Amino acid sequence: MTDSREIELDGHIIDSGIMEHVLDSILDMGGDFEILEFSVGKRKTDTSYARVLITGTDNGNLDAIISTLHRHGARLVDTEDVTLVPAEGNRIVPKGFYSTTNYPTQIRIGNEWIHVENIEMDCLIVVSPDKKSAKATPMSKLQKGDLVVIGEHGVKIKPPERSRSHEEFEFMGGVISSERPTETTIRKIAREIIDTHKKGLKVALVGGPAIIHTGADEACASMFREGYIDILFAGNALATHDIEYNLFGTSLGMNIRSGELVSAGHKNHLYAISEIMRAGSIRKAVETGILGSGIMYECIKRNVPYVLAGSIRDDGPLPDVITDAMVAQDEMRRYVPEIGMVLMIATMLHSIAVGNCLPSYVMTVCVDINPSTLTKLMDRGTSQAIGVVSDAGAFFPMLLDQLHQIQKK
Amino acid sequence: MTDSREIELDGHIIDSGIMEHVLDSILDMGGDFEILEFSVGKRKTDTSYARVLITGTDNGNLDAIISTLHRHGARLVDTEDVTLVPAEGNRIVPKGFYSTTNYPTQIRIGNEWIHVENIEMDCLIVVSPDKKSAKATPMSKLQKGDLVVIGEHGVKIKPPERSRSHEEFEFMGGVISSERPTETTIRKIAREIIDTHKKGLKVALVGGPAIIHTGADEACASMFREGYIDILFAGNALATHDIEYNLFGTSLGMNIRSGELVSAGHKNHLYAISEIMRAGSIRKAVETGILGSGIMYECIKRNVPYVLAGSIRDDGPLPDVITDAMVAQDEMRRYVPEIGMVLMIATMLHSIAVGNCLPSYVMTVCVDINPSTLTKLMDRGTSQAIGVVSDAGAFFPMLLDQLHQIQKK
Amino acid sequence: MTDSREIELDGHIIDSGIMEHVLDSILDMGGDFEILEFSVGKRKTDTSYARVLITGTDNGNLDAIISTLHRHGARLVDTEDVTLVPAEGNRIVPKGFYSTTNYPTQIRIGNEWIHVENIEMDCLIVVSPDKKSAKATPMSKLQKGDLVVIGEHGVKIKPPERSRSHEEFEFMGGVISSERPTETTIRKIAREIIDTHKKGLKVALVGGPAIIHTGADEACASMFREGYIDILFAGNALATHDIEYNLFGTSLGMNIRSGELVSAGHKNHLYAISEIMRAGSIRKAVETGILGSGIMYECIKRNVPYVLAGSIRDDGPLPDVITDAMVAQDEMRRYVPEIGMVLMIATMLHSIAVGNCLPSYVMTVCVDINPSTLTKLMDRGTSQAIGVVSDAGAFFPMLLDQLHQIQKK
Amino acid sequence: MTDSREIELDGHIIDSGIMEHVLDSILDMGGDFEILEFSVGKRKTDTSYARVLITGTDNGNLDAIISTLHRHGARLVDTEDVTLVPAEGNRIVPKGFYSTTNYPTQIRIGNEWIHVENIEMDCLIVVSPDKKSAKATPMSKLQKGDLVVIGEHGVKIKPPERSRSHEEFEFMGGVISSERPTETTIRKIAREIIDTHKKGLKVALVGGPAIIHTGADEACASMFREGYIDILFAGNALATHDIEYNLFGTSLGMNIRSGELVSAGHKNHLYAISEIMRAGSIRKAVETGILGSGIMYECIKRNVPYVLAGSIRDDGPLPDVITDAMVAQDEMRRYVPEIGMVLMIATMLHSIAVGNCLPSYVMTVCVDINPSTLTKLMDRGTSQAIGVVSDAGAFFPMLLDQLHQIQKK
């Protein structure tokens, strides 16, 4: 063992499991530790503090350990300013760049701690030329000459601590198994929607076309009309199916009321797109009275912003669809700062995409009939997500009903 | 090519796909055919008739082809009486025994066609000593000396033909994908329950404990109280969870209303069993007022017969549980003849077990959150089952609501 | 009942189930039929012929029935030329347009039957101005003034017939359940790859990043190096993970050999992209020796064409990625005509996208650990696909081994 | 707040997360705490010690909190002897009985700590009449008059602590996602098998019939022949399919080598059972040369004990099958004490049943193509299980290969 360094941790580090993760990581990586100072918060509102000396098997190992501990909220005792290096070219990351988490982050520059704006996972931190502000920047936006933060020193993150109060709906990730009581879970989600609005934050829906297939178009449209959802992230499919259903009563040619395939109904999908093409946009189709109900109609009527991102399996697509994936990502990012809660329903692609752009403190509920969608979302870093194994066709009517019941009280 | 034989087919053999399966099977097995006679039913109510000469690559191959065609409803033109052989010992099947399908079956004996009673898949046909009656007999019941039908000659089966009328809910198997409209599917199931009762037949529930975990205990109990379900097939888990829920408000220690784990709640499971042990049986617990609500309570109150079959993962079990698998199978078989419809909810083991005992003309609806349960059930021979990918906690309240809506009209 | 029309059908219409589907559809839709003529193919190589009079409940119903029968291969007896209508604007489909299947299709024009090129499902048929050729055209490419085929008359399709010979690997869709013998299935896939090449056709891989996560990068790269795969359709993730693995030994920061997370390994993903950004393209990275192994390396070395289509969840992306979904679709379509077989491994998005562009006669094998991916692919119209429930990490090494074993013989 | 009590904890309570769980549980349940003493283990081999004063909202709440903390390894500072109450009747549990975990457990009696034998989850602790020994006793074995431990005082458990060394294959539960490298995972499992034998412990297989369907019969039989597996827990299906395959080359009538259904092959299942019936038992069938290969053959040849537990979906069953579920459970329990590792392959029912009987320190690996089997197993309390999403047909040949590779070195 050659070298060693001191790190410090504070906050509710025992009951949030942070201290455990720190010590585990050191042992997992082959390092050793000595706890130099440990003052435990005696009561539930007191915070604890630890100072730990870390030893690695060699300097490389020590760096690796420090880097891992950083992601658990540890910081070096001897904090200096961050190191900055200009990017050598557009979209070329400098060696040793600091890769963001989705936790609240600060950097030290000119001996002051400044807040990193627009935090989002797997980005770089770019500092403004005057060194007064810093911003999480995805690789695709990195410009030659941008000042990029290198390494972990001078960077401080705040991993989520468990709440001090005995809350109804624990804000913590994990799949709610298909064996839990459905109505109870949905009532909690309904309360969170109402609470998010009380805090002045917005609720976004990330939705897939199964919302329409499974017969939940009307319940979902009501959620927009009644102001429960404020932003829509979706693809060409959700919008087209919604418009098809509201123009022709079918979704991919199936009559949603009777469950039967309508003859020549498979063309309705293209007719729906065509009607919007002729009008010029969804907004114009609503304004000229062509489209008079449904999810997209309610979005237009209530000026709910929507981002329809294209994908390679799209038919059409609708004129409102952004076919370039990078442009669509940027458009989604515009709305992230105002969001307090996201409902992700029956779409893996869009859920992961939106999840990637969200800070860790945004309440994220993901509903899918397939448990593996939920697992993948969390594996991809949206670890704060609460997964519910359920069916959109049952979920939306039950959620709307619970919202109405709560509002009546 | 050496030998050849003539078979004949009649009925709606084109539009039920029977003719297709016959010709396909011959080609698949390396045989050849010549259609000797074919009279097509010109109108939708007319039946067709075909006489086909089959050639095999050798006599063994020809026998194999004839055996396969038999299962599609073909019969040899030169029909003789069935061959009978006495079983050499208990539970020892004779070589070449006829293995039943779950289709209506007749055998020819003394130049008369007699109906095979208690038809069930993968059984033997045992003829009474006076040769006046025949019965499908599972291997476990075969006694030394029983007269067993050998080979396919003299046996005639009637595979399901598609109905001639334009029905609401097609009686044909297949998984209803999670992308179909949930409410529409459930409304059709509700109508079938009502129609089954109108025909004077019974509706059975095969249920797993997820009915209680997911919060559907009350809706399910109402189904029994209001007479929508007439027979219950389940295991120790469903009954214990139901009793635990109705005695203590928990299921495996979780409070179903709040979704929270109750402290020491994991013991409630054993307490529930213990209360019934002390009373002596579920019936006595109801009669002495210990158990006053729930699925099992309603079964006792309405004299709904129930079979609780034990399994190796049981705790307890309850005194009403039949721990011997073979005894439990027999008990289930007692009720099969009166059943017109089966709802299988969230239990693979019991669904396959009941499915094995059902004739093909019993309407079978299987609901599970996991599509692979549905696939396995059909793979195991219950090909008439209609699979619905849904969640018990959402399914029962929606089904009860649909039943009430239909009854109101 | 008001009006009626005659249709005719020929081919192996009984044993391919076509006659069954035709009669079923008429009954399902409330119509009636009279079989006017029926000549059955007496032997296995003979084709059958049927002429059927269809009656609908009214003219609309009759049209609907005829339209459905058309998709089963029926044609009106009184065939006229197709009707053509010019498109009123870009991407606006004319009312009543003919929507293509993915079956081989001909249209009648100037009393001649001409073949429709580039057949693909859910397209329009656009006839050249000189009326000598016709092409399946996706909605996104429809130009104002294009001559579009309206209705089904004058259009003839050829649904797949089952093969006359006793084949090893039945060319027909359906999920091969997880309960079938793994090695046997893989050996059949290996044979199909070799047979496809013998026919002078190409084998394409549609692959997801799980190929690398599950440790199959080397086996998959060998498939390209040894010439078993000729075209690659994938996204940013597969290429980036492959490059990350080959540069750093990790995939999303996990060491594939040891299964452990490498410290700071999460950055390797962005470093990999950055290395390619600096080089300018994957080709340049190979040429300058930066990238010396792996799937993308073998593609460059063997001049295997690849299409990397962007999606909204991409990091980076690599400079080779086509971020506009519509441009990527076109690029994929360029390669479709030469493809005889497609392997779709562990990616739902790209599989459905490629499936949408494939004619029905392209052998399509889809491998995924999740049976619902397979079901969705088939629901979306790629009904010829053979689904295998397996794991990429086990599948590729076993497939390569089977290919080597066959080649050795 | 009314009453309060002191608990103490020691061991690696920080880095095993025990301290975190204790404080979390107090807050979750609405209680409060004061840490009276906390001495942290400064180095990795040092243990920590905490003494905590717990306050509840009332006495009931305090009891509930103490009861929950007990399950995390806490004990009351003022330890007294356990309270004992005689059971009022067979299978009737006394109020307030202590319900076991699957962790190593001690009870205090006559001022001494004695070890509880045969520990298994959800049992009662029954003390011998002489109070010298204690045994975990399932409810089904509780006899009138048995001395049952009541409440948590005087009971001490030892929850698993993470290992101090940097191990290859972390002994901790959790599903290994389908996105992890397959070969790497399997190599680790192979090493554990070898290590378990080195420790003088046995390896048990809990197997389902998919082992045979998916073509792994031979690889699995080799595992027994070469001594890698020492005990077999299965049902009628695995044994019957194995015997059918080894007598007739089929499994449920499908030829495993070619993947094709064999004509009349569905009868082979019953013939296989019948052959064993005639011989009298599997052992006699092996001894008389009727059965000459396969899993059951190897078990007989090597005197590997097997327990075949019946279920209600069984055909036959084989004469070796124990049809009474309670008798089968007992038989399984006989072998548990010698087991160091369990492989659970493709069977949910038997896996949960065996899992229920295992102490927490038995290495448990569960392999299933369906991730929900793995989740359910852990939900049912076998939280130490390591889940691998894979296919038996690919798993066994790869595992055998890895075992051979390791042995060669």
Side-chain angles (χ1 to χ4, degrees), chain B residues 29 63-65 67-68 71 88 90-100 121-124 139-141 151-152 209 213 234 248 252 263-264 266-267 270-271 273-275 277-279 309-319 323-326 328-329 332 346 348-350 352-354 356 368 370 372-373 376 380, chain D residues 29 63-65 67-68 71 88 90-100 121-124 139-141 151-152 209 213 234 248 252 263-264 266-267 270-271 273-275 277-279 309-319 323-326 328-329 332 346 348-350 352-354 356 368 370 372-373 376 380:
Chain B
M29 296 175 75
D63 285 351
I65 293 172
S67 168
T68 299
R71 297 179 88 84
E88 69 172 277
N90 293 348
R91 294 167 69 194
I92 302 183
V93 300
K95 269 276 176 280
F97 74 97
Y98 177 81
S99 173
T100 57
M121 72 177 86
D122 295 331
C123 288
L124 298 91
M139 186 191 189
S140 57
K141 305 238 155 309
E152 282 93 8
H213 299 320
F248 307 114
L252 277 182
S263 165
H266 58 283
K267 292 191 210 172
L270 295 192
Y271 281 140
I273 298 170
S274 215
E275 286 301 319
M277 284 303 308
R278 187 179 287 119
S311 92
I312 44 164
R313 72 187 204 200
D314 289 348
D315 284 316
L318 290 167
T323 59
D324 190 285
M326 292 299 112
Q329 264 188 17
M332 294 190 320
M348 187 157 69
L349 174 66
H350 292 87
I352 292 177
V354 171
N356 284 349
D368 206 290
N370 193 332
S372 70
T373 299
K376 275 200 187 163
R380 292 290 177 284
Chain D
M29 297 176 74
D63 284 352
I65 293 172
S67 168
T68 299
R71 297 179 88 83
E88 71 171 274
N90 292 350
R91 293 167 70 194
I92 302 183
V93 300
K95 269 276 175 280
F97 75 97
Y98 179 80
S99 173
T100 58
M121 70 177 85
D122 295 330
C123 287
L124 298 92
M139 186 189 189
S140 59
K141 303 237 154 311
E152 281 95 8
H213 299 319
F248 307 113
L252 278 181
S263 165
H266 57 284
K267 292 192 212 171
L270 295 191
Y271 281 140
I273 298 170
S274 216
E275 286 300 320
M277 285 304 308
R278 188 179 286 117
S311 90
I312 44 163
R313 72 189 205 202
D314 289 348
D315 283 316
L318 290 168
T323 58
D324 190 285
M326 292 300 111
Q329 264 188 16
M332 295 191 318
M348 187 158 67
L349 174 66
H350 292 86
I352 293 177
V354 172
N356 284 349
D368 206 290
N370 193 331
S372 69
T373 300
K376 275 200 188 162
R380 293 292 176 282

Side-chain angles (χ1 to χ4, degrees), chain D residues 102-291:
Chain D
N102 59 4
Y103 304 138
T105 303
Q106 290 186 298
I107 60 169
R108 189 175 176 106
I109 196 158
N111 280 324
E112 288 200 26
W113 287 103
I114 63 171
H115 180 72
V116 177
E117 290 161 38
N118 293 4
I119 194 70
E120 178 182 327
M121 70 177 85
D122 295 330
C123 287
L124 298 92
I125 299 178
V126 170
V127 172
S128 63
D130 65 1
K131 303 196 182 170
K132 298 286 189 214
S133 68
K135 206 163 151 178
T137 303
M139 186 189 189
S140 59
K141 303 237 154 311
L142 188 67
Q143 300 291 320
K144 181 171 177 176
D146 277 356
L147 293 175
V148 175
V149 172
I150 303 294
E152 281 95 8
H153 58 195
V155 185
K156 203 162 73 172
I157 64 172
K158 189 138 189 60
E161 292 184 350
R162 75 182 304 288
S163 62
R164 293 297 91 190
S165 66
H166 175 51
E167 294 224 340
E168 285 246 327
F169 195 30
E170 204 58 50
F171 191 127
M172 44 177 274
V175 172
I176 294 184
S177 114
S178 58
E179 301 199 329
R180 293 301 154 80
T182 313
E183 273 196 302
T184 306
T185 304
I186 291 175
R187 189 164 57 245
K188 288 176 178 178
I189 295 171
R191 284 214 188 105
E192 285 293 332
I193 291 174
I194 291 168
D195 288 354
T196 300
H197 283 147
K198 281 190 188 148
K199 290 179 206 153
L201 294 167
K202 296 201 169 163
V203 176
L205 172 66
V206 182
I211 294 172
I212 293 96
H213 299 319
T214 58
D217 188 270
E218 283 156 44
C220 181
S222 299
M223 300 273 303
F224 283 97
R225 187 172 53 250
E226 301 177 19
Y228 294 118
I229 306 180
D230 311 297
I231 298 169
L232 173 66
F233 296 138
N236 185 56
L238 176 123
T240 305
H241 287 57
D242 168 60
I243 293 168
E244 177 190 338
Y245 174 63
N246 285 282
L247 293 182
F248 307 113
T250 58
S251 173
L252 278 181
M254 180 179 58
N255 181 314
I256 295 293
R257 289 302 121 213
S258 69
E260 280 169 8
L261 283 169
V262 168
S263 165
H266 57 284
K267 292 192 212 171
N268 290 348
H269 188 67
L270 295 191
Y271 281 140
I273 298 170
S274 216
E275 286 300 320
I276 305 303
M277 285 304 308
R278 188 179 286 117
S281 69
I282 300 174
R283 175 166 299 279
K284 286 189 192 141
V286 169
E287 287 169 357
T288 57
I290 291 166
L291 182 65

